[in-house]
Amino acid sequence: QFRKGRLLLSFGEYLDLFATAPQLYGRDAATYVRDMFDFYGTTEVGKPWGTVRRWNLFDLPWEDGPDARRDALVGQEDVQAEVYRSLCNFVREGRPNRVILTHGPNGSSKSTLAACVMRALENYSTLDQGPLYRFHWIFPSTKTVKGSLGFRDGREPRPNVSGESYAHLADSEIDARLVIEVRDHPLFLLPVEQRRALLDELYASSELDGRPPQWLLRGQLAHKNQQVFEALLNRYQGSLSEVLRHVQVERYFVSRRYRVGAVTLGPQMSVDAAERQVTADQSLGALPTALQATTLFEAYGELVDASGGVLEFSDLLKRPLDTFKYLQLSVETGEVALSHQNLQLNCVMIGSANEIHLAAFREHPEFPSFRGRLELVRTPYLLSYADEQKIYDVQVASQVQRHVAPHATRIAAMFAVLTRMMAPEADAYSGELKEIATSLTAIEKADLLATGQVPARFGIDQANLLRASIRELYDEGRARSIYEGILGASPREIRGLVLDASQSPRYRCLSPLAVLDELDELCTRVSQ
């Protein structure tokens, strides 16, 4: 399995692998995430006004077990479409040059959306369609080669080792392995002109559409890699092939737990990236003399950990402005300035914010300069009680140890949606539709948006007109400044309420009557 997965390669082996599928192995973060969306595909979902496209990754189809769907994203197809549109724009523009900022009330699934994307990346990176590679430096011992620690004079005979690379040497044959944390692409080891010529040739011979990503065409090595590369190149008197023998290419996998390509950054005050000196570490004392005399710095932090994948800024606007002001320049230039280097960014940034903080941020003098660096995606509460019920069925009903009576979760979902409903505004409609829309009660509107059910009190012509205008009615509420879905009961509140109802001593099951009792208490608390 290790060999079949091509987990450890020499540079030459990787170059052969890259030539088989340049588009697969040469993707930047935006293209990688966009391709991941495409890989899992879409499904047409029926709505009262027609069909909409839903991305399958948000249903977590690769996970098994009874709790597999607990963390799936319910509804929010419009939000999914906006995120995908932003990713496609990043690919067209050559890199992620804006932060996708989902904004909405607390509990509107902003964090769930980002978590689903990260979980999908974890699974995708393990598949043949989603390989990711980085490289490290290998320095063989004096027992393996003549000379000191891999630095041979060009006039000496070739070392008696298997193959042309040090990448596959056993631990006993290695004095030092310099791990690179930034995850530079292996092709960055080739000079830019030769790299461009190689990519043009590969794309032409493979008859691929488009051009290679600008990140791959113009990218450069991180500071530590560049220092090692130059030291080796000088010692080998300009022989690139000798330098590349020290390269060990490694396949890596996205992991949220170990913060590899998927990182969530909370609203803390700390800096997101920094660097530290590594040559002071005595465990690296086996490095060649030329490198021990070179001051090497390694970058670290969330921006480094998220390289090649997704960085989520949870509750971004809860942080003081100074802690994320660097994003103004960084997302525009694709670099973040550190003490000793400019770190090249290669990650998709997704942030979240509630409407209160966003409204305050809009009044800040700095907001106009930030506005062009943000891709605002509105994420309201659900307005379909049929979708809302799925949340409570999966997250509550499936976990309750007692019998769940019919309609218990439906009543909770209907109440939640009714608290979010707004009456249609007369100025938004004309003709007969104006009279019909403004006459709708809250429950009639909720039934209309959830199931397409038209009130029986309307005649045939009126019913047909209303049925044909459901989308217009839905969009009218979303177009307001205080939009429909910005206010009301949060799914978190209702979920806790249903759990309380399941423990009611008055009923032997999770009864709709128990839910009504809890709703009555909730309304009493709110009114007080």
Side-chain angles (χ1 to χ4, degrees):
Q1 289 177 341
F2 183 87
R3 290 191 296 271
K4 183 179 178 182
R6 298 188 179 95
L7 302 184
L8 213 60
L9 304 172
S10 67
F11 185 82
E13 290 170 336
Y14 175 77
L15 204 57
D16 291 339
L17 181 64
F18 183 91
T20 62
Q23 280 186 321
L24 183 67
Y25 296 102
R27 295 176 287 187
D28 61 357
T31 307
Y32 188 83
V33 178
R34 192 277 313 271
D35 288 353
M36 182 265 294
F37 270 68
D38 291 338
F39 172 77
Y40 290 108
T42 59
T43 302
E44 295 296 324
V45 177
K47 297 290 183 180
W49 55 82
T51 58
V52 296
R53 187 166 55 160
R54 178 177 179 80
W55 274 261
N56 295 333
L57 72 91
F58 293 103
D59 294 322
L60 311 180
W62 59 89
E63 297 196 0
D64 299 321
D67 298 332
R69 301 296 180 267
R70 286 194 63 188
D71 299 321
L73 178 67
V74 176
Q76 302 292 15
E77 286 78 17
D78 291 344
V79 179
Q80 297 173 23
E82 284 297 300
V83 172
Y84 182 76
R85 179 190 61 81
S86 299
L87 291 172
C88 291
N89 287 340
F90 294 160
V91 174
R92 294 188 188 98
E93 295 182 77
R95 62 179 181 82
N97 56 2
R98 288 180 295 280
V99 178
I100 301 174
L101 185 65
T102 57
H103 60 97
N106 292 329
S108 63
S109 73
K110 302 181 293 294
S111 297
T112 301
L113 182 141
C116 286
V117 173
M118 291 185 180
R119 293 175 76 156
L121 283 174
E122 284 183 311
N123 183 67
Y124 184 62
S125 68
T126 65
L127 305 177
D128 292 340
Q129 295 83 356
L132 292 167
Y133 284 92
R134 60 184 175 187
F135 68 89
H136 308 296
W137 297 98
I138 299 296
F139 300 98
S141 66
T142 53
K143 298 177 182 178
T144 306
V145 295
K146 294 181 179 180
S148 59
L149 300 175
F151 284 83
R152 299 183 304 105
D153 186 78
R155 294 168 294 180
E156 296 175 356
R158 304 196 69 82
N160 184 23
V161 297
S162 58
E164 293 295 318
S165 171
Y166 303 129
H168 300 295
L169 292 179
D171 289 346
S172 60
E173 301 175 297
I174 295 174
D175 268 353
R177 180 175 185 262
L178 191 60
V179 176
I180 303 301
E181 70 289 339
V182 180
R183 295 195 284 277
D184 281 341
H185 194 280
L187 286 196
F188 288 179
L189 290 161
L190 299 180
V192 173
E193 291 186 8
Q194 285 82 353
R195 190 194 318 163
R196 289 181 176 178
L198 173 65
L199 290 170
D200 288 341
E201 179 183 346
L202 291 176
Y203 268 65
S205 61
S206 302
E207 298 181 353
L208 298 174
D209 296 330
R211 291 270 299 161
Q214 288 298 312
W215 166 79
L216 192 58
L217 287 171
R218 304 165 66 177
Q220 296 181 338
L221 293 171
H223 184 262
K224 184 166 70 170
N225 273 330
Q226 186 65 27
Q227 295 288 89
V228 176
F229 181 85
E230 289 178 356
L232 290 171
L233 197 64
N234 288 336
R235 183 62 184 86
Y236 288 129
Q237 301 178 3
S239 174
L240 180 61
S241 61
E242 289 294 323
V243 174
L244 296 179
R245 300 184 70 200
H246 291 270
V247 174
Q248 182 186 69
V249 181
E250 175 191 48
R251 181 173 179 179
Y252 70 94
F253 304 94
V254 175
S255 171
R256 291 178 300 155
R257 176 181 294 274
Y258 302 112
R259 305 206 329 172
V260 178
V263 179
T264 297
L265 177 61
Q268 69 261 29
M269 299 280 291
S270 61
V271 180
D272 302 332
E275 57 190 350
R276 55 182 172 234
Q277 185 174 346
V278 296
T279 43
D281 190 343
Q282 293 183 356
S283 65
L284 298 178
L287 288 177
T289 306
L291 288 178
Q292 290 180 358
T294 302
T295 303
L296 299 178
F297 291 89
E298 70 175 13
Y300 66 94
E302 287 81 2
L303 286 171
V304 177
D305 296 337
S307 178
V310 170
L311 174 61
E312 179 198 5
F313 293 95
S314 181
D315 290 320
L316 174 65
L317 301 184
K318 285 185 179 179
R319 311 168 84 194
L321 180 64
D322 288 342
T323 62
F324 64 90
K325 198 171 181 179
Y326 69 90
L327 288 177
Q328 282 184 290
L329 185 62
S330 295
V331 297
E332 183 173 338
T333 62
E335 296 180 343
V336 59
L338 302 179
S339 301
H340 298 85
Q341 62 179 303
N342 285 342
L343 182 66
Q344 186 174 357
L345 297 180
N346 178 38
C347 64
V348 175
M349 300 183 190
I350 300 178
S352 62
N354 64 45
E355 292 294 355
I356 296 175
H357 289 99
L358 180 59
F361 187 48
R362 291 181 189 274
E363 302 300 322
H364 196 281
E366 293 282 354
F367 178 75
S369 60
F370 272 97
R371 182 63 186 88
R373 280 87 170 182
L374 298 175
E375 192 75 32
L376 296 178
V377 179
R378 182 182 289 176
T379 312
Y381 288 138
L382 298 177
L383 295 181
S384 166
Y385 62 73
D387 287 341
E388 186 83 7
Q389 183 181 356
K390 295 176 184 177
I391 298 177
Y392 310 130
D393 285 341
V394 173
Q395 298 185 6
V396 181
S398 63
Q399 307 301 314
V400 172
Q401 301 300 317
R402 308 168 75 182
H403 171 68
V404 180
H407 307 298
T409 55
R410 172 62 64 93
I411 286 177
M414 288 189 69
F415 176 85
V417 169
L418 288 171
T419 64
R420 306 163 188 168
M421 286 291 169
M422 295 182 179
E425 293 184 350
D427 295 341
Y429 307 95
S430 60
E432 188 177 6
L433 180 59
K434 179 177 182 179
E435 181 180 350
I436 295 173
T438 53
S439 71
L440 291 173
T441 66
I443 289 183
E444 287 175 342
K445 183 178 178 181
D447 286 335
L448 193 66
L449 295 184
T451 65
Q453 179 182 337
V454 175
R457 60 187 174 88
F458 290 125
I460 294 178
D461 292 340
Q462 290 178 316
N464 288 336
L465 176 60
L466 182 58
R467 193 174 290 110
S469 305
I470 294 177
R471 180 74 200 199
E472 184 177 348
L473 192 73
Y474 177 80
D475 290 339
E476 183 262 323
R478 297 298 180 96
R480 307 173 187 177
S481 56
I482 305 298
Y483 56 86
E484 201 167 34
I486 192 176
L487 302 173
S490 163
R492 294 172 184 167
E493 293 178 296
I494 302 302
R495 188 169 59 234
L497 182 146
V498 176
L499 286 171
D500 289 341
S502 69
Q503 304 175 59
S504 174
R506 298 177 57 189
Y507 306 94
R508 291 182 297 175
C509 63
L510 175 53
S511 166
L513 299 176
V515 174
L516 288 172
D517 290 343
E518 293 295 334
L519 290 174
D520 189 47
E521 285 191 27
L522 175 64
C523 293
T524 302
R525 291 197 302 269
V526 172
S527 64
Q528 292 175 349

